[in-house]
Amino acid sequence: MAIREIRKQGDEILSKNCRTVEKIDDRIIELGNDMLETMYKNDGIGLAACQVGILKRIIVYDVKYIEEDGKKEGHILINPKIVSRSKSMIEVEEGCLSFPDIYKVVKRHEKVTVEYTDIKGKKKRITAKDIEAVCLQHELDHLDGVVFLDRYEEQN
Ligand code: NI
């Protein structure tokens, strides 16, 4: 595994659309593991592939690492897609590893269900709420070239 360089604010790759992963091979698995390692190293709770310069629809996240102090339970989601959203919304202050020292309160759905493929090629589904739901919406936005500041500006 290796730590990858995180692309920062102003890098045009952050506003590009990521492409669907067609085949899960060793390079994809390595990328997912590197993304997790890079996220932990930078004290993040989520990271999208475009943030390490790769335009593929892959995200990683682990919201429990911070909450439960040190127990790693990282998820690698390939081709994730939101399939349902709650009507109720929550507002949470968000940050992003690509935007150091910027924090903004963004309104998101309180609950979302996401379908994805895992690194073994199995179709899976997660229903998440609160901070986990916020994190998933933030990371999935990255795959469409949307960052939390765009959401903040839309809402303010
Ligand atoms: Ni981000």
Side-chain angles (χ1 to χ4, degrees):
M1 288 203 280
I3 305 290
R4 306 234 180 171
E5 188 199 335
I6 295 181
R7 302 299 187 92
K8 299 281 162 60
Q9 184 172 24
D11 192 318
E12 64 179 26
I13 201 160
L14 296 173
S15 56
K16 290 191 173 162
N17 242 306
C18 293
R19 290 182 291 269
T20 301
V21 175
E22 303 291 350
K23 185 168 171 271
I24 300 167
D25 55 16
D26 289 349
R27 286 186 64 188
I28 295 292
I29 295 168
E30 188 185 0
L31 170 62
N33 286 323
D34 285 358
M35 285 167 61
L36 273 177
E37 198 181 0
T38 303
M39 178 188 83
Y40 288 127
K41 170 87 179 167
N42 289 280
D43 296 319
I45 60 169
L47 191 67
C50 56
Q51 291 180 274
V52 294
I54 312 269
L55 287 170
K56 290 188 188 299
R57 301 190 80 82
I58 303 172
I59 66 157
V60 298
Y61 80 98
D62 184 351
V63 291
K64 295 205 171 111
Y65 184 53
I66 306 281
E67 274 175 23
E68 289 173 14
D69 195 23
K71 191 173 149 248
K72 290 183 182 172
E73 206 185 290
H75 303 276
I76 301 172
L77 279 58
I78 299 167
N79 300 330
K81 189 173 180 252
I82 296 177
V83 294
S84 80
R85 300 165 170 81
S86 65
K87 273 194 191 131
S88 56
M89 308 293 282
I90 46 169
E91 291 186 343
V92 174
E93 189 176 68
E94 296 184 22
C96 180
L97 293 177
S98 296
F99 296 80
D101 305 320
I102 299 178
Y103 299 92
K104 294 285 181 196
V105 174
V106 179
K107 197 185 289 177
R108 305 274 189 186
H109 298 278
E110 190 180 15
K111 227 170 147 184
V112 291
T113 297
V114 173
E115 281 183 358
Y116 67 99
T117 303
D118 73 7
I119 53 169
K120 291 176 181 155
K122 278 196 180 142
K123 296 265 184 243
K124 295 216 168 148
R125 175 183 273 247
I126 297 178
T127 296
K129 59 177 180 153
D130 303 327
I131 187 73
E132 187 177 10
V134 168
C135 180
L136 284 166
Q137 289 166 85
H138 176 120
E139 300 312 329
L140 265 79
D141 267 353
H142 274 299
L143 302 182
D144 297 323
V146 174
V147 299
F148 74 122
L149 290 182
D150 300 328
R151 294 292 184 199
Y152 174 76
E153 278 163 23
E154 250 169 48
Q155 294 167 7
N156 288 276

